[in-house]
Amino acid sequence: QTLGIGNERSMFVCVCNGITDKQIRNAVASGASSVQDLQDALGVASQCGTCFDYAEELIAETRAPALSLRQNFDEGLYYAVA
């Protein structure tokens, strides 16, 4: 099921606790890096567990751009301009 929030659409990931993909992405952007972190912060996968695998996918998907940027920085692909 999806719901409209402003111009963005959200999808329920954890139906038991009413947690959306947007809430999970926001939690990951705020530092959550595991399903355990999401369980502690939001209650994801703390009931039936059906959402566990998708929550893991959302963590990886949300963190991927940040990790890619960090890797490029570490490899010297970005430089400071004085």
Side-chain angles (χ1 to χ4, degrees):
Q1 182 176 2
T2 60
L3 58 124
I5 300 176
N7 291 331
E8 296 182 32
R9 296 183 66 93
S10 279
M11 179 181 74
F12 283 106
V13 174
C14 178
V15 177
C16 296
N17 294 309
I19 307 301
T20 66
D21 60 327
K22 185 173 181 177
Q23 289 173 287
I24 291 173
R25 291 178 195 282
N26 287 340
V28 172
S30 295
S33 60
S34 68
V35 176
Q36 181 63 54
D37 290 343
L38 296 177
Q39 285 175 334
D40 294 343
L42 303 171
V44 171
S46 61
Q47 298 294 317
C48 76
T50 302
C51 59
F52 187 95
D53 290 340
Y54 190 57
E56 280 188 321
E57 288 178 36
L58 283 174
I59 292 168
E61 184 181 296
T62 304
R63 293 188 69 200
L67 294 176
S68 177
L69 179 62
R70 179 66 192 176
Q71 180 182 8
N72 289 338
F73 183 79
D74 289 345
E75 292 173 3
L77 299 177
Y78 294 96
Y79 56 91
V81 177

